[in-house]
Amino acid sequence: MTDAKVTCYHCGLDVPPQSDYRVAINGQSQPMCCPGCKAVAQAIVDNHLTDYYRYRTAAATTAQDLVPVELEQLKIFDNPTLQQQFVSTSAQHTIKEASLILEGIVCAACVWLNERHVGRLPGVMEFRVNYTTHRATVKWNDEQIQLSDILQAITAIGYQAHPVDAQRQELVHRRERNKALRRLAVAGLGAMQVMMLAVAMYAGEYYGIDPALAHFFRWVSLVITIPVIGYAALPFYQSAWRDLRLHRLGMDVPVALSIIAAFVASAYATVLQQQDVYFDSITMFVLFLLTGRYLEMQARHRAGETAEAMVRLIPAMATRLDTNGAAKVIPVSELIPGDYVLVKPGETIPADGKVHAGSSSVDESLLTGESVPIRKQYDHQVIGGSVNIDSPLTICIEKVGADTVLAAIQRLLDRAQTEKPNIARLADTVASYFVAALFIVAFLVGALWWSNGPLHAFWIVISVLVVTCPCALSLATPVALIAATGRLMQSGVLTTRGHALETLARVTHVVFDKTGTLTYGQLRVDAVDVRSNMPREEILQIAAALERNSEHPLAQGILRYASEATLQATDCTATPGAGMEGSVGTTRYRIGRPEFAVPAGELLVLDTQRQQTAIVLADTTSVHAVFYMQDELRSDAKTAVRQLQELGVEVLLFSGDRQSVVAQVAQQLGISSWLGELLPQDKLRKVQELQAAGAIVAMLGDGVNDAPVLAVAQVSIAMGSGTQLAQASSDMVLLSERILPVAFAMRMARFTQKVIRQNLLWAILYNLVALPLAALGWVAPWMAGIGMSASSLMVVLNALRLRQANEDISRL
């Protein structure tokens, strides 16, 4: 007798002798011909796509047919061209970051599960999920893992993930709402019908009812309850099964267990013609839970409206101009740097760029919080997402997709909303052990009540499992942070770190830099004091050649004054906080602070009548000129300082400018503590001295020189007009040209901490009160459903007060 031929269950080819590759598919172990087929088949099983085998009409004939379309579609997101629209890449081109939409998130436990599962994948450097918006931020090493692998891993645990897209996100929200409303309708209709029958049966116990009719009512109630527990309550089972399959106790496990146990017990009593049935409690319980989840979902969507509004700022289409000036409407995703687009009045600018032709006012309020339109003309920068108001503009596109300012703001906002402060991590830790402790308590309560009758003990245990839930505890902090960061964003304050609000609420000292922070940083040359025989025009050209290599506001002021630089500086070296050194021709020059630029042994006498910043140009032997620079204080600087002082915060001014200039600014603003002529390392040391004395310091700066001290401050705030390095070092960014929002941010931070403490206190007190009442038998299962839903809803509604906070935020 010969052995029967065995074929591969996946591809249909013969299985080689002596090979043993098998995969369990639909409960049966199936043979595979090779490791490749085994790997693909296992991926199909892991991604719950086994219907591929059930409905295929023939074995695969090509390599492409061996993989279901669902798995193959995920590979599309590895395409570098497509990734340009939603993936930001590091300078090394190996570290990538993207924002994803997650479908299937129903509670805080889902967030924990996804973060834990994806965070353990080799090559994934960071994965955070925002429970409020159901968005995730993922950072990975592209040499170790592909984006499609990450998406497959998320699918493997029962969720769906895809890149953020405004239209798709709106579709996801609409689908989520529609599903919730359908389940709510089924639960509501079922609960009403069952309650009518229950009232008749309860009344019959007092006034008398025919036993046969009562038994009939119980059967009708059972039939009506089936759609409620089979369809309306399905999300609870799916979430619970997902948790149990991964060997953890999530928040929906006790809920699903309670619903199933109560229905089985009531159905059993109906079949045996016993009187103790609780179909009314089951349907009402499901109805109240779904109502609470729906209201919570609506509140979450409102809390995340600011982030969603930013996603929708970019239009879907743009009018591109060809080399002949002919206009063609194309999708924004097809724009590339160097394209010219026409933006008509009332239209949204599709990407970052410069004005090539035209002059108009542009509304940037949704991005910067600045309500006054800004005038734009030739060579002015414009931001994608802002709205053209007056006249047509022709714009040369410079940045698209993930490289735009709007995309960067969105990434920073996502990071801030998904990073957990200490108080949130503590709440999550408590919640993770809460469910296990709840089962232990429920078991002990059931054992104590057993002597009074198993059935009575059973319903008390159900109430205990339902009434106490850590949902409110897990929601207490994240919803408040989402609402607060969204409200701050509307005021022009971008929060980039999750801990920023928590720390800002405890700040005792606020340190300001001067140039570009308290002043506009638009320095202009007020006078040029020539100190040598060198012609004035040559002095200006040498100064411009050196300063062309610097981003400092002083350098930009000199460049504007000198017009076009015709000379070229070589071998340039910048000394932070001091100045620039370089060669023009064969001569070595320095330009910067007097103590940096003046040659050793030279005596420089400055004009003491000028309370202005002095910049010196000198070579190795003599001083050639002194530039006196004039800057203007920001119009709201004095009000911002006064409001911070009214909050009990000590305001300090640290600057590298001349003592006389700093003293004058400090006097104008009412700042009593100030220091001038500080190098970056001096500022750093002074801040560290404050911290060593117990101060919690917030630092505001805008330049490269400020990056070290911004990094060491407990809370760092950068000006939106500042350098990228300053913004990268900061916890918050002021997007407009005003600094008054700093005082609002501090009041908002304190208000946020107050709301979080209220939420945590409510969640703890609710469980401390509800658990004993349920254990004593005073809370029916349907009442427990109301209590659990109400506790979560109360936390969310309290957090939403932050969205309505005005500039005063009174009664703190």
Side-chain angles (χ1 to χ4, degrees):
M1 176 182 282
T2 59
D3 293 337
K5 182 183 294 185
V6 180
T7 58
C8 177
Y9 187 77
H10 182 64
C11 69
L13 298 177
D14 293 344
V15 175
Q18 311 302 323
S19 67
D20 186 21
Y21 303 107
R22 308 189 74 83
V23 176
I25 301 174
N26 294 325
Q28 296 185 357
S29 179
Q30 302 292 354
M32 301 290 152
C33 66
C34 64
C37 283
K38 179 182 178 181
V40 174
Q42 189 62 56
I44 292 171
V45 172
D46 292 342
N47 287 278
H48 310 289
L49 300 173
T50 52
D51 284 348
Y52 164 76
Y53 295 115
R54 186 177 302 169
Y55 298 118
R56 65 178 178 177
T57 56
T61 57
T62 67
Q64 288 78 9
D65 295 333
L66 293 175
V67 182
V69 66
E70 290 90 344
L71 287 181
E72 192 62 35
Q73 285 177 345
L74 296 180
K75 296 290 185 183
I76 295 174
F77 296 117
D78 294 333
N79 186 302
T81 303
L82 181 62
Q83 285 190 358
Q84 289 178 0
Q85 301 302 318
F86 63 92
V87 174
S88 61
T89 307
S90 68
Q92 295 80 16
H93 301 292
T94 57
I95 307 302
K96 295 186 175 183
E97 184 174 348
S99 292
L100 307 174
I101 302 173
L102 280 186
E103 297 185 48
I105 299 290
V106 295
C107 68
C110 299
V111 173
W112 181 92
L113 176 61
N114 276 276
E115 290 181 341
R116 186 110 172 175
H117 179 72
V118 178
R120 289 176 171 175
L121 296 174
V124 174
M125 304 170 66
E126 196 174 82
F127 186 75
R128 299 185 305 272
V129 180
N130 184 330
Y131 173 66
T132 302
T133 60
H134 291 185
R135 289 169 62 162
T137 300
V138 59
K139 183 184 290 186
W140 73 97
N141 187 327
D142 205 47
E143 293 181 342
Q144 294 181 266
I145 191 170
Q146 298 292 305
L147 180 59
S148 61
D149 299 326
I150 298 172
L151 299 180
Q152 285 183 24
I154 295 171
T155 305
I157 57 174
Y159 301 86
Q160 296 294 322
H162 44 80
V164 169
D165 174 81
Q167 294 180 344
R168 184 158 186 176
Q169 180 126 6
E170 180 60 32
L171 180 64
V172 169
H173 281 175
R174 192 182 306 120
R175 189 164 60 227
E176 186 182 11
R177 283 193 297 269
N178 291 341
K179 279 186 178 180
L181 285 172
R182 284 196 297 269
R183 297 188 194 281
L184 198 55
V186 170
L189 290 172
M192 285 189 291
Q193 299 301 317
V194 172
M195 281 303 295
M196 286 193 296
L197 296 172
V199 168
M201 287 189 285
Y202 291 145
E205 292 182 6
Y206 291 96
Y207 300 105
I209 187 172
D210 182 67
L213 182 60
H215 185 56
F216 174 72
F217 282 173
R218 283 192 284 272
W219 272 105
V220 173
S221 298
L222 186 151
V223 172
I224 296 174
T225 304
I226 288 175
V228 176
I229 69 160
Y231 172 73
L234 188 61
F236 304 121
Y237 311 142
Q238 292 172 332
S239 177
W241 174 244
R242 198 157 43 216
D243 289 332
L244 292 173
R245 195 160 55 90
L246 294 164
H247 310 293
R248 70 177 301 271
L249 295 174
M251 298 177 190
D252 279 334
V253 172
V255 172
L257 183 62
S258 301
I259 294 171
I260 294 171
F263 179 77
V264 170
S266 297
Y268 181 76
T270 300
V271 172
L272 296 183
Q273 300 189 22
Q274 296 176 354
Q275 291 186 348
D276 295 316
V277 296
Y278 289 87
F279 296 117
D280 55 334
S281 293
I282 297 168
T283 53
M284 291 296 288
F285 172 50
V286 173
L287 174 63
F288 290 137
L289 281 179
L290 289 175
T291 302
R293 289 273 173 99
Y294 179 77
L295 293 175
E296 179 192 319
M297 176 194 70
Q298 292 289 82
R300 282 193 293 101
H301 288 176
R302 285 199 299 273
E305 278 177 358
T306 301
E308 303 312 316
M310 293 186 64
V311 174
R312 293 191 292 267
L313 285 179
I314 296 296
M317 310 297 286
T319 304
R320 184 169 62 187
L321 303 175
D322 63 19
T323 53
N324 299 319
K328 180 181 180 181
V329 178
I330 62 166
V332 168
S333 58
E334 294 183 10
L335 289 175
I336 60 173
D339 282 346
Y340 289 88
V341 296
L342 175 66
V343 183
K344 300 174 184 177
E347 291 184 345
T348 301
I349 296 172
D352 295 356
K354 282 187 177 180
V355 176
H356 179 70
S359 176
S360 181
S361 295
V362 173
D363 181 3
E364 299 180 347
S365 58
L366 279 175
L367 290 166
T368 65
E370 188 62 64
S371 58
V372 180
I374 301 171
R375 198 70 189 170
K376 300 290 185 179
Q377 54 193 21
Y378 176 74
D379 209 36
H380 282 191
Q381 293 285 150
V382 289
I383 304 174
S386 52
V387 179
N388 183 21
I389 297 178
D390 299 333
S391 308
L393 290 175
T394 301
I395 295 169
C396 177
I397 300 300
E398 294 183 332
K399 294 180 180 179
V400 297
D403 296 327
T404 62
V405 169
L406 182 62
I409 291 175
Q410 186 64 60
R411 283 194 300 272
L412 292 172
L413 189 59
D414 281 344
R415 183 178 70 181
Q417 292 180 341
T418 52
E419 283 184 347
K420 295 185 174 84
N422 294 331
I423 194 168
R425 286 195 290 268
L426 177 62
D428 286 348
T429 302
V430 173
S432 65
Y433 293 104
F434 190 94
V435 176
L438 175 59
F439 276 108
I440 295 172
V441 170
F443 175 80
L444 295 175
V445 169
L448 292 173
W449 279 97
W450 191 263
S451 60
N452 290 44
L455 190 60
H456 186 57
F458 173 79
W459 291 111
I460 290 177
V461 168
I462 294 295
S463 295
V464 169
L465 288 175
V466 170
V467 78
T468 50
C469 179
C471 294
L473 192 63
S474 295
L475 285 170
T477 300
V479 178
L481 289 177
I482 298 300
T485 52
R487 178 63 186 88
L488 284 173
M489 185 68 199
Q490 293 173 354
S491 298
V493 182
L494 172 62
T495 307
T496 68
R497 289 292 182 185
H499 74 85
L501 285 177
E502 182 183 19
T503 311
L504 186 61
R506 299 183 290 110
V507 161
T508 59
H509 293 66
V510 175
V511 178
F512 283 97
D513 176 45
K514 183 182 73 69
T515 305
T517 305
L518 290 173
T519 66
Y520 284 104
Q522 299 294 324
L523 288 109
R524 58 182 177 82
V525 177
D526 188 58
V528 180
D529 182 5
V530 178
R531 298 293 185 94
S532 70
N533 295 326
M534 183 181 289
R536 187 175 185 277
E537 187 59 34
E538 186 178 351
I539 288 173
L540 294 180
Q541 289 299 311
I542 294 172
L546 292 168
E547 297 289 36
R548 185 190 292 155
N549 300 283
S550 175
E551 292 184 7
H552 197 281
L554 288 165
Q556 299 304 310
I558 291 174
L559 282 171
R560 285 191 295 270
Y561 186 78
S563 187
E564 293 185 9
T566 57
L567 298 178
Q568 186 73 31
T570 58
D571 193 20
C572 293
T573 304
T575 302
M580 180 72 68
E581 181 178 0
S583 298
V584 177
T586 59
T587 307
R588 193 74 176 167
Y589 292 94
R590 281 188 174 190
I591 186 169
R593 294 170 54 169
E595 54 269 34
F596 168 78
V598 175
E602 282 286 307
L603 178 63
L604 178 68
V605 179
L606 297 174
D607 186 348
T608 56
Q609 298 300 313
R610 291 185 176 274
Q611 300 297 317
Q612 297 171 328
T613 303
I615 297 297
V616 174
L617 174 67
D619 58 23
T620 55
T621 59
S622 60
V623 173
H624 292 288
V626 178
F627 295 82
Y628 289 101
M629 311 292 294
Q630 181 69 41
D631 201 358
E632 184 182 353
L633 283 174
R634 294 185 187 272
S635 58
D636 61 343
K638 190 170 184 177
T639 305
V641 170
R642 177 177 53 79
Q643 289 190 8
L644 287 170
Q645 291 170 338
E646 289 173 354
L647 289 171
V649 175
E650 184 174 347
V651 179
L652 304 94
L653 172 57
F654 291 173
S655 176
D657 213 337
R658 295 165 60 193
Q659 295 277 8
S660 58
V661 175
V662 179
Q664 184 184 35
V665 170
Q667 184 180 12
Q668 287 178 309
L669 298 179
I671 299 175
S672 58
S673 300
W674 57 270
L675 291 171
E677 300 181 6
L678 295 178
L679 295 172
Q681 54 267 34
D682 298 326
K683 294 181 183 179
L684 183 63
R685 188 180 68 255
K686 292 297 182 183
V687 168
Q688 289 173 332
E689 288 174 0
L690 289 172
Q691 292 171 330
I696 299 175
V697 180
M699 172 70 192
L700 282 85
D702 80 317
V704 173
N705 299 343
D706 300 318
V709 70
L710 284 171
V712 79
Q714 282 99 334
V715 179
S716 51
I717 306 174
M719 303 300 296
S721 57
T723 64
Q724 292 184 353
L725 182 57
Q727 293 183 25
S729 305
S730 67
D731 303 313
M732 307 178 89
V733 178
L734 297 180
L735 297 176
S736 69
E737 289 297 313
R738 301 184 304 139
I739 60 172
L740 190 57
V742 172
F744 173 68
M746 185 163 290
R747 291 194 298 272
M748 192 71 177
R750 294 181 180 182
F751 188 27
T752 302
Q753 294 309 302
K754 178 181 177 181
V755 168
I756 290 174
R757 286 193 295 269
Q758 289 172 346
N759 284 350
L760 291 173
L761 181 63
W762 163 256
I764 293 169
L765 288 179
Y766 164 77
N767 282 291
L768 290 176
V769 172
L771 182 56
L773 292 177
L776 291 171
W778 295 352
V779 179
W782 66 270
M783 295 168 63
I786 295 176
M788 191 190 83
S789 300
S791 66
S792 297
L793 188 60
M794 186 75 71
V795 162
V796 174
L797 293 177
N798 187 44
L800 287 181
R801 292 194 298 140
L802 292 162
R803 295 180 65 245
Q804 310 302 324
N806 57 29
E807 296 292 331
D808 294 329
I809 316 182
S810 57
R811 298 187 303 276
L812 284 182

